[in-house]
Amino acid sequence: MKKTIGILGGMGPKATGYLFDLVTRYTTAGKDSDHFPVVIFSNPQIPDRTEAIINNGPSPLPLLIEGAKFLENAGVDFIVMPCITAHYYYPEIIKNIKIPFLHMLEETAAYIDKEMPEVRKFGLLATTGTIETRIFQNELKKIGKEIIIPGKKNQSKVMSAVYGEKGIKAGFTSQPSSILLEVVSDLVNEKGCRAVIAGCTEIPLALQPAHFAVPFIEPLMIIARRSIERAGCREPVG
């Protein structure tokens, strides 16, 4: 019997839609009924996670808990959350629900440990909130991997690419792509990274693996495929 996937989203809406698209795309299906039931709770009014972490802005936690409870009450079998920075609040969210909640960073670390044992240094493109909390650094340290973050100037470029007037959150991709590739070039060519992680789920909206000379790791892709497996499909497409 197929399980129902719950998506706790809205952070941002495009990343939420992209996750649903990935789940649909990578499910082995010959007809509509081969796909899994999916319930999406997309609340763009959840306060910005980086603003809360860095500048003591309004906490997103109450609405994150509300969204998780909504999905639980809707009858989903497990929850996934297409926002990496929001995983800072994961320990508090799971205290308030009784169903499984797949942790995107843990799943990403498990993927890296299995598929990329020879790579040690990983560049991270992420929001300043994610970097400051060290949630990615701590997770990969458990498997003996090193996270390299951009310098202060390049991190400002990453934030501009995501949050700027012509950034990804505003619906643009061309200019953010150019900016992010400058940062990637520094991480790979100057800092010796042998792979790059899309540590913000909106970054793959502007960058694709074809842009890179090194592996480009998408946690959203990893959690989508893991969700498909968890929901009852042992061999996702591709």
Side-chain angles (χ1 to χ4, degrees):
M1 186 174 180
K2 291 182 171 64
K3 293 182 179 179
T4 300
I5 301 169
I7 297 178
L8 178 55
M11 307 167 280
K14 288 185 175 68
T16 302
Y18 183 43
L19 175 58
F20 178 62
D21 175 66
L22 290 172
V23 169
T24 304
R25 188 188 313 172
Y26 288 104
T27 297
T28 303
K31 56 185 182 299
D32 290 349
S33 59
D34 289 334
H35 288 274
F36 300 102
V38 179
V39 178
I40 300 173
F41 180 86
S42 181
N43 183 3
Q45 305 310 310
I46 295 173
D48 187 81
R49 286 63 57 200
T50 291
E51 184 66 20
I53 293 165
I54 301 301
N55 296 319
N56 200 31
S59 173
L61 183 58
L63 289 182
L64 288 170
I65 293 172
E66 180 182 298
K69 286 184 174 180
F70 174 91
L71 291 168
E72 183 175 41
N73 292 333
V76 307
D77 291 287
F78 62 92
I79 295 173
V80 291
M81 182 166 62
C83 174
I84 289 172
T85 313
H87 279 72
Y88 175 70
Y89 301 95
Y90 175 90
E92 294 302 317
I93 299 171
I94 61 173
K95 289 179 183 177
N96 291 273
I97 56 174
K98 297 181 177 64
I99 59 174
F101 191 143
L102 300 189
H103 194 293
M104 183 157 38
L105 282 74
E106 290 179 359
E107 297 295 341
T108 300
Y111 170 86
I112 288 172
D113 194 33
K114 179 182 177 181
E115 302 293 338
M116 309 181 73
E118 75 288 351
V119 179
R120 174 165 175 77
K121 294 177 70 172
F122 292 79
L124 181 65
L125 297 175
T127 66
T128 302
T130 293
I131 288 174
E132 290 292 324
T133 61
R134 298 189 60 83
I135 52 177
F136 242 120
Q137 293 95 314
N138 293 340
E139 203 61 51
L140 264 67
K141 185 178 180 180
K142 295 176 186 177
I143 59 170
K145 306 296 185 181
E146 182 181 2
I147 285 285
I148 305 298
I149 62 173
K152 187 173 181 180
K153 181 178 179 180
N154 276 340
Q155 182 57 29
S156 294
K157 291 181 180 181
V158 173
M159 291 296 285
S160 173
V162 176
Y163 284 94
E165 185 177 337
K166 291 193 175 181
I168 300 169
K169 285 185 177 292
F172 296 88
T173 57
S174 179
Q175 183 171 309
S177 176
S178 298
I179 293 171
L180 291 169
L181 286 174
E182 290 177 9
V183 180
V184 169
S185 177
D186 179 71
L187 288 170
V188 173
N189 298 321
E190 301 301 324
K191 296 189 175 181
C193 298
R194 300 278 66 91
V196 175
I197 300 172
C200 168
T201 52
E202 289 168 309
I203 283 175
L205 300 173
L207 293 179
Q208 288 79 45
H211 290 129
F212 293 83
V214 298
F216 181 49
I217 300 163
E218 293 186 47
L220 207 57
M221 179 86 71
I222 293 166
I223 202 68
R225 296 176 68 85
R226 183 70 184 91
S227 297
I228 293 166
E229 294 169 356
R230 183 68 176 259
C233 179
R234 297 190 176 212
E235 297 183 7
V237 173

